[in-house]
């Protein structure tokens, strides 16, 4: 029943990962996304302080209504994300996905309170998570009147990859995004920051995120990736994130995906140059006359690396304005 309520009309639920729309010999990846609300424990404690003077039954009712509102708002954000995917299918934007018999490319796994997990075709997982976070931040809880922030971790893996390992990886990535948000947040709770982190497992991944990210350093010991990225933030947090806004990354990925600019082969080779260090990357960009890519993003080389890695595994979702 919940699946039917949270899925757009006219589509069928998928039961096998092979039905999500992957393309044989092109993209056999799935995305496992874990989304978790920020500072929810703090908000529960604030409710206790605010309504603790009520009699026990009245206080329990406030807490129950708060929890039910959280659950309803997170489910509504998931439903709105699903509707966005449906609109993109109908417009032809997701034509690269091989969908048959009106199968829907997103499968709900968990929607419980502020905890969400879903699986999608690999190329749309990040975009789905970003849309969901954006829709969630537009809502306000009816009991405490406050808005929401949440973080997402997205593990992009081959569809034969062990699901439990992919889910653990998504949880680790979500936790890392939360730590990033907490550092940016004005009060250290991350309650005003929504962020996203991801990893594409081209082979077997390490047991911890620290082991995985150790491979994302160059010969000089510098990081070559800018993950996590900011999806939405209020006030000073938005300024603190500087260039690490997911929307900027989306725009850069779309630019380098454009077949008209003829950069695909050069950029794929550039990815291996990153391991050699900044000087090797600078030389390569100048030699191939594509240095303007880095100039356009303020000289932030790691953002370009992230865009290159997503080049074949990302489709941006268009959202209706207003």
């Amino acid at each position: 029943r919940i699946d039917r309520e949270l899925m757009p009309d006219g589509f069928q639920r998928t039961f096998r990962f092979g039905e999500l729309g992957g393309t044989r010999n092109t993209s056999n990846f799935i995305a496992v996304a874990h989304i978790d609300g920020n500072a929810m424990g703090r908000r529960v404690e604030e409710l206790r302080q605010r309504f603790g003077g009520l009699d026990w039954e009245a206080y329990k009712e406030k807490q129950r209504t708060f929890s039910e509102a959280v659950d309803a708002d997170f489910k509504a954000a998931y439903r709105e994300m699903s509707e966005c995917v449906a609109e993109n299918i109908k417009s032809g934007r997701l034509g690269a996905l091989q969908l048959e018999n009106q199968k829907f490319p997103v499968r709900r796994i968990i929607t419980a309170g502020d905890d969400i997990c879903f699986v999608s075709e690999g190329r749309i997982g990040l975009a789905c998570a970003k849309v969901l976070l954006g829709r969630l931040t537009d809502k306000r809880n009816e009991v405490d009147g406050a808005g929401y922030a949440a973080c997402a971790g997205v593990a992009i893996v081959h569809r034969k990859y062990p699901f439990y390992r992919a889910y653990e990886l998504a949880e680790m990535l979500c936790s890392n995004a939360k730590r990033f948000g907490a550092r940016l947040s004005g009060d250290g709770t991350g309650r005003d920051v929504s962020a996203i982190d991801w990893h594409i497992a081209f082979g077997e991944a390490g047991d911890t995120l620290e082991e995985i990210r150790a491979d994302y350093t160059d010969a000089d010991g510098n990081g070559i990736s800018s993950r996590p990225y900011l999806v939405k933030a209020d006030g000073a947090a938005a300024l603190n994130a500087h260039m690490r806004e997911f929307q900027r990354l989306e725009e850069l990925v779309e630019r380098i995906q454009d077949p008209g600019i003829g950069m695909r082969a050069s950029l794929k080779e550039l990815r291996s140059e990153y391991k050699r260090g900044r000087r090797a990357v600078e030389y390569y960009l100048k030699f191939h006359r594509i240095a303007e890519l880095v100039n356009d993003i303020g000289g932030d080389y790691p953002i370009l690396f992230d865009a290159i890695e997503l080049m074949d595994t990302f489709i941006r979702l268009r959202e209706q304005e207003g």
Side-chain angles (χ1 to χ4, degrees), residues 111-150:
T111 49
D114 67 327
D115 186 12
I116 291 177
C117 176
F118 64 83
V119 181
S120 75
E121 201 279 341
R123 288 167 288 186
I124 64 171
L126 267 176
C128 287
K130 180 250 187 175
V131 170
L132 195 157
L133 291 177
R135 298 301 175 90
L136 181 64
T137 56
D138 292 335
K139 305 184 187 307
R140 303 190 76 80
N141 188 281
E142 64 180 64
V143 177
D144 68 359
Y148 297 100

Side-chain angles (χ1 to χ4, degrees), residues 200-225:
I200 305 172
F202 295 105
E204 192 66 29
D207 291 332
T208 67
L209 192 58
E210 288 73 19
E211 291 176 2
I212 292 170
R213 291 284 156 87
D215 289 333
Y216 285 76
T217 55
D218 63 20
D220 301 319
N222 299 313
I224 59 176
S225 168

Side-chain angles (χ1 to χ4, degrees), residues 16-313:
R16 296 186 297 273
F17 292 157
E19 298 175 329
L20 290 169
T23 307
R24 182 180 293 276
N25 299 323
T26 301
S27 180
N28 284 322
F29 285 84
I30 62 170
V32 180
H34 176 66
I35 290 94
D36 192 41
N38 295 347
M40 299 306 293
R42 173 70 67 89
R43 289 175 66 168
V44 170
E45 174 61 22
E46 290 172 352
L47 279 179
R48 186 191 68 77
Q49 295 175 2
R50 181 176 172 184
F51 297 112
L54 298 176
D55 65 77
W56 178 241
E57 291 301 322
Y59 172 70
K60 283 199 304 181
E61 180 65 18
K62 285 289 185 183
Q63 289 283 13
R64 183 187 65 80
T65 306
F66 172 78
S67 297
E68 289 178 349
V70 169
D71 186 69
D73 288 338
F74 273 70
K75 281 187 171 71
Y78 181 91
R79 168 77 187 197
E80 291 166 17
M81 175 272 289
S82 297
E83 294 286 359
C84 178
V85 174
E87 291 164 4
N88 278 262
I89 293 172
K90 293 171 184 176
S91 72
R93 184 166 178 79
L94 299 184
L97 276 59
Q98 293 189 343
L99 298 171
E100 298 179 357
N101 302 318
Q102 291 299 102
K103 294 292 186 180
F104 197 61
V106 184
R107 179 71 167 90
R108 183 190 72 89
I109 304 299
I110 299 169
T111 49
D114 67 327
D115 186 12
I116 291 177
C117 176
F118 64 83
V119 181
S120 75
E121 201 279 341
R123 288 167 288 186
I124 64 171
L126 267 176
C128 287
K130 180 250 187 175
V131 170
L132 195 157
L133 291 177
R135 298 301 175 90
L136 181 64
T137 56
D138 292 335
K139 305 184 187 307
R140 303 190 76 80
N141 188 281
E142 64 180 64
V143 177
D144 68 359
Y148 297 100
C151 287
V154 183
I156 302 172
V157 301
H158 193 279
R159 69 186 188 195
K160 293 183 179 179
Y161 194 87
F163 180 78
Y164 78 95
R165 291 288 307 276
Y167 182 73
E168 288 177 345
L169 177 55
E171 284 189 315
M172 288 190 289
L173 291 161
C174 182
S175 295
N176 195 47
K178 281 176 170 283
R179 288 190 289 270
F180 169 68
R183 291 195 299 269
L184 291 177
S185 180
D187 61 1
T189 66
R191 65 191 305 163
D192 53 350
V193 178
S194 292
I196 190 168
D197 197 0
W198 71 92
H199 178 68
I200 305 172
F202 295 105
E204 192 66 29
D207 291 332
T208 67
L209 192 58
E210 288 73 19
E211 291 176 2
I212 292 170
R213 291 284 156 87
D215 289 333
Y216 285 76
T217 55
D218 63 20
D220 301 319
N222 299 313
I224 59 176
S225 168
S226 275
R227 285 165 262 180
Y229 279 75
L230 182 70
V231 174
K232 203 164 185 179
D234 296 327
L239 297 176
N240 291 339
H242 190 42
M243 299 292 289
R244 291 166 68 174
E245 295 178 350
F246 191 75
Q247 182 174 335
R248 285 179 178 268
L249 180 67
E250 286 183 306
E251 293 168 354
L252 180 58
V253 173
E254 281 198 319
R255 179 180 174 187
I256 64 177
Q257 285 175 334
D258 184 354
I261 63 174
M263 291 185 185
R264 181 173 293 270
S266 296
L267 289 172
K268 284 190 173 183
E269 291 178 6
L270 172 60
R271 187 174 181 273
S272 62
E273 293 295 314
Y274 268 86
K275 296 291 287 185
R276 297 177 57 194
R278 175 68 60 86
R279 186 165 296 179
V281 173
E282 291 175 347
Y283 177 78
Y284 187 94
L285 289 169
K286 290 177 181 177
F287 181 81
H288 290 272
R289 299 181 180 179
I290 51 177
E292 72 275 4
L293 281 175
V294 173
N295 295 333
D296 291 347
I297 55 175
D300 200 323
Y301 286 77
I303 291 180
L304 178 58
F305 175 86
D306 289 333
I308 294 169
E309 191 168 79
L310 286 175
M311 189 164 55
D312 293 329
T313 52

